[in-house]
Amino acid sequence: MSVNEQVRPNIKVVIPAYNEEQSIAHVISDIPKDWVSEIIVVNNGSTDKTAEVAAKAGATVLHQPKAGYGNACLMGIEYLKDPSKSPDILVFMDGDYSDYPQQLPEVAGPIVKGEADFVIGSRALGNREGGSMTFPQVFGNWLATSMMKWFYKTNYTDLGPFRAIAFPQLVALDMKDKTYGWTVEMQLKAAKQKLRITEVPVNYKKRIGVSKVSGTVKGTVMAGYKIIFTIFKYL
């Protein structure tokens, strides 16, 4: 029986968003609606019309004024801890339209089929549009995944934001990071708790607008520092 023929579990999506009014409707529109029951956009202190555009596009909008990617993700998780709202699988993706939301079935598929608990959409294994990732991003991903392999014996190829995880297992990870270390923390804790982990290739394109992390020297340095700090923190 194929995945499409199965009775799919309840899947929801969390999208952290900061000043993404130009892109967020495209992201929401491209998510396969027959695969998800709710799309949650966490408006992370935007000063533009991100929240209004997201709501008009059909998303549930939460407001997290405290800056930080992790803060936004944590708010989404807290909202979904309500038993009446909890999904079987939670998918995370970015709001800048650099991911291909239509690949959600490929990212969530291994969990739907009972083959994994946690899936990383790997840009390193997929096709990247030229210029979609800066050199510091590519090098940073290589360095971080290499360090995780050396110290934690993992086989990750990317810290990609497009990922899916069984919700009960996500709650059990007890996520804490409020900023740049979020993705690394999830991957390290998943490995330490011996979740069934796999990666699937995902494609990646130039984002709409300017990155708040890789688009600035400060953002790049701070993200790199936090990622390396997090890797050593959980040794």
Side-chain angles (χ1 to χ4, degrees):
M1 182 181 293
S2 70
V3 171
N4 288 332
E5 292 171 332
Q6 294 175 353
V7 177
R8 284 194 291 269
N10 182 8
I11 301 174
K12 297 192 177 185
V13 180
V14 165
I15 306 171
Y18 171 66
N19 287 349
E20 304 290 6
E21 70 171 303
Q22 301 299 322
S23 57
I24 195 65
H26 295 293
V27 176
I28 295 168
S29 175
D30 283 0
I31 294 172
K33 302 306 185 293
D34 58 331
W35 273 76
V36 305
S37 62
E38 186 177 19
I39 299 167
I40 299 110
V41 171
V42 184
N43 179 36
N44 196 199
S46 297
T47 56
D48 64 4
K49 296 181 179 179
T50 295
E52 296 92 320
V53 173
K56 186 176 180 180
T60 298
V61 178
L62 306 179
H63 295 276
Q64 171 53 281
K66 295 180 182 178
Y69 185 87
N71 275 325
C73 292
L74 287 169
M75 172 165 277
I77 292 172
E78 283 303 311
Y79 166 80
L80 293 170
K81 282 182 179 178
D82 180 333
S84 68
K85 297 182 175 68
S86 296
D88 300 306
I89 299 170
L90 185 57
V91 175
F92 293 92
M93 68 178 70
D94 278 351
D96 59 13
Y97 207 40
S98 54
D99 300 312
Y100 284 79
Q102 52 269 68
Q103 289 190 286
L104 183 146
E106 297 164 48
V107 176
I111 306 176
V112 174
K113 290 184 285 187
E115 299 171 353
D117 304 306
F118 178 39
V119 182
I120 302 290
S122 172
R123 299 164 296 183
L125 300 178
N127 295 313
R128 297 198 310 266
E129 179 183 7
S132 60
M133 292 181 70
T134 63
F135 174 76
Q137 280 182 292
V138 175
F139 176 76
N141 267 308
W142 172 82
L143 178 61
T145 54
S146 295
M147 290 177 68
M148 287 192 282
K149 184 174 184 177
W150 298 333
F151 296 123
Y152 293 89
K153 310 304 179 187
T154 59
N155 292 304
Y156 296 119
T157 63
D158 196 7
L159 308 179
F162 197 178
R163 52 185 58 204
I165 185 167
F167 192 68
Q169 280 81 350
L170 173 60
V171 172
L173 293 184
D174 190 27
M175 294 291 295
K176 299 292 187 185
D177 195 89
K178 298 177 180 179
T179 56
Y180 305 113
W182 171 268
T183 54
V184 174
E185 179 191 0
M186 187 185 295
Q187 288 171 240
L188 294 179
K189 285 185 170 180
K192 289 172 77 73
Q193 292 194 19
K194 301 189 183 305
L195 298 190
R196 295 174 300 162
I197 304 166
T198 192
E199 292 186 329
V200 298
V202 294
N203 300 327
Y204 201 67
K205 58 184 179 291
K206 292 180 182 177
R207 59 157 293 142
I208 294 176
V210 178
S211 172
K212 290 78 178 175
V213 179
S214 60
T216 66
V217 173
K218 178 182 178 181
T220 300
V221 172
M222 291 300 294
Y225 166 79
K226 186 59 180 288
I227 287 169
I228 293 173
F229 173 82
T230 304
I231 289 172
F232 284 107
K233 177 180 178 179
Y234 289 100
L235 279 174

